[in-house]
Amino acid sequence: MTQLIMVVNGPNLGRLGVREPDVYGHQDLAELRRLCTQWGGELGVDVDVRQTDDEAEMIGWMHEAVDDNTPVVMNPAAFTHYSYGLADAAHMVTDAGLPLMEVHISNPSARDAFRKHSVISPVATGTITGLGFFGYRLALEAVAHLLES
Ligand code: DQA
């Protein structure tokens, strides 16, 4: 069976393409989904790209990842900076021995003060920031590499 990777995106990322295009680019979520599917195909994995504005839903997806043994690529968006609930859920994923890569399209450290702190980074396997959509490709590659080794 082909390995599945869950690619989860947090609040306001459904507005990619229209939201601050100078920061997040002109490509929308549908394009991100298409690219991740293409990159997954190149890496020999299936990807399931999701987006929610709902913290509880995103936490539920982490429980699902643990129960189904599914590695995660996560852009927690604004949850990055304050959601201890999501951090605890992400911790359960890595505690289960599953890779969880944190991705940010922009470089939050170079932006507003409140973006400089991530509550997800301490529990993530690794973090990729500032590379646009390409960061998701690197994160998928990292997960595929970790699963091989
Ligand atoms: C983001 C950075 C966050 O600070 C912000 O709240 C987002 C997107 C990024 O991808 O660069 O919504 O995670």
Side-chain angles (χ1 to χ4, degrees):
M1 210 173 74
T2 312
Q3 173 71 50
L4 179 67
I5 302 175
M6 197 190 279
V7 179
V8 301
N9 293 280
N12 303 306
L13 292 173
R15 304 292 295 163
L16 284 171
V18 286
R19 173 191 180 203
E20 297 183 82
D22 47 321
V23 176
Y24 300 112
H26 291 275
Q27 294 173 303
D28 64 9
L29 183 67
E31 179 64 3
L32 179 65
R33 186 169 282 122
R34 194 192 67 72
L35 285 168
C36 286
T37 305
Q38 180 193 312
W39 293 329
E42 288 164 17
L43 293 163
V45 297
D46 282 340
V47 296
D48 177 6
V49 181
R50 305 179 183 189
Q51 189 276 328
T52 184
D53 295 329
D54 183 337
E55 190 175 1
E57 186 170 32
M58 197 139 167
I59 289 170
W61 289 346
M62 294 306 99
H63 300 168
E64 185 186 329
V66 171
D67 291 344
D68 297 348
N69 257 307
T70 307
V72 175
V73 170
M74 173 192 284
N75 185 342
F79 295 152
T80 307
H81 312 298
Y82 64 88
S83 176
Y84 297 118
L86 184 61
D88 282 348
H91 199 185
M92 284 188 243
V93 176
T94 49
D95 253 2
L98 295 162
L100 182 147
M101 292 296 298
E102 176 187 3
V103 178
H104 299 283
I105 296 165
S106 69
N107 177 0
S109 300
R111 299 176 61 200
D112 321 76
F114 80 87
R115 295 183 206 277
K116 293 187 196 302
H117 183 64
S118 167
V119 299
I120 305 297
S121 295
V123 299
T125 310
T127 302
I128 296 167
T129 71
L131 298 176
F133 283 9
F134 187 64
Y136 289 78
R137 190 197 155 100
L138 295 181
L140 287 168
E141 219 170 310
V143 171
H145 167 78
L146 290 164
L147 292 173
E148 267 168 31
S149 56

